[in-house]
Amino acid sequence: MEWIPAGRSARTVPSDWCTFLRHSMVMPARMMGKLTVEEWRPLVASSLLFEKKIRRTLRGRAFLLTGVPLIISLAVPISVAILLQMAWIIFLYPILVLPLAYLGGRSYSRDLKKARLEADTQVSALIGKDSFLNVLKKIDMMGLDDIDRLKTGRGGRRLAGLPSITERIEHLQTASSLDRYSTT
């Protein structure tokens, strides 16, 4: 386990998440000593479930959303340029690629966000919804800069597909007790 201070890693870790690298769990250093081991349990479980189970299923979808359209948008102008012998058509490539990449990235980001919320739901069914909600509310009440900044949508959280802590709390509060019997 590693505690990474803000700005010391290429990948920032928000205060309400942890992440996993090859052989270590990375935790935000600003949270060191602020939560007990029992309070870390739902946060680590949700992150672990997302990273090891749910995220793997999203990789194929990411390729379909971004990779296939980009390959097609590259192949079409090149093949048309060769068939019609019009080299200038290749300059249409950026016009086709940029919107497709943007839309694919937004869609994948939305899917990541839903998957993270689904991981929260599944973990709350295992660990207990109330204890998970209490931990998230405790972190929210700490008034940490990254949590407050990211709640407003600034700081790149939307781009990373991370739900804000407010969205996580609202999602868990609306999750019914029947969600724990879901097979997805």
Side-chain angles (χ1 to χ4, degrees):
M1 179 168 72
E2 297 178 40
W3 294 90
I4 303 292
R8 297 281 179 141
S9 173
R11 197 169 141 187
T12 58
V13 181
S15 298
D16 57 333
W17 291 96
C18 63
T19 189
F20 297 88
L21 296 176
R22 289 186 181 158
H23 300 292
S24 65
M25 179 172 55
V26 179
M27 314 280 280
R30 63 190 156 286
M31 294 298 293
M32 189 183 302
K34 293 186 179 180
L35 297 175
T36 65
V37 173
E38 280 300 310
E39 290 172 328
W40 274 110
R41 203 169 103 187
L43 299 174
V44 170
S46 180
S47 296
L48 185 63
L49 180 67
F50 172 77
E51 291 286 336
K52 299 300 179 188
K53 183 179 178 189
I54 296 174
R55 190 171 187 169
R56 288 183 181 171
T57 62
L58 289 176
R59 287 187 184 142
R61 182 164 170 79
F63 179 72
L64 289 175
L65 289 174
T66 57
V68 172
L70 290 175
I71 291 169
I72 290 171
S73 68
L74 177 63
V76 169
I78 290 174
S79 59
V80 169
I82 291 170
L83 290 174
L84 299 178
Q85 296 179 355
M86 297 178 185
W88 61 269
I89 290 180
I90 293 176
F91 293 112
L92 293 177
Y93 178 69
I95 295 170
L96 294 171
V97 168
L98 294 177
L100 288 173
Y102 176 74
L103 293 173
R106 284 185 57 109
S107 179
Y108 182 63
S109 180
R110 201 173 328 118
D111 290 344
L112 278 177
K113 189 177 194 178
K114 287 179 188 175
R116 288 182 186 274
L117 292 172
E118 176 61 27
D120 282 353
T121 303
Q122 290 181 15
V123 167
S124 72
L126 294 172
I127 293 178
K129 186 172 162 180
D130 293 333
S131 63
F132 199 175
L133 278 171
N134 289 338
V135 171
L136 290 175
K137 288 177 183 177
K138 180 178 179 178
I139 293 171
D140 193 19
M141 299 305 274
M142 288 179 187
L144 300 167
D145 288 338
D146 70 321
I147 295 292
D148 291 337
R149 186 177 64 243
L150 297 172
K151 276 198 291 189
T152 62
R154 298 183 332 240
R157 186 167 262 218
R158 281 199 182 109
L159 296 175
L162 293 171
S164 70
I165 197 161
T166 307
E167 290 171 321
R168 292 178 78 183
I169 291 169
E170 289 171 358
H171 179 75
L172 284 176
Q173 287 174 337
T174 59
S176 74
S177 59
L178 295 177
D179 287 340
R180 69 182 64 166
Y181 300 110
S182 121
T183 58
T184 56

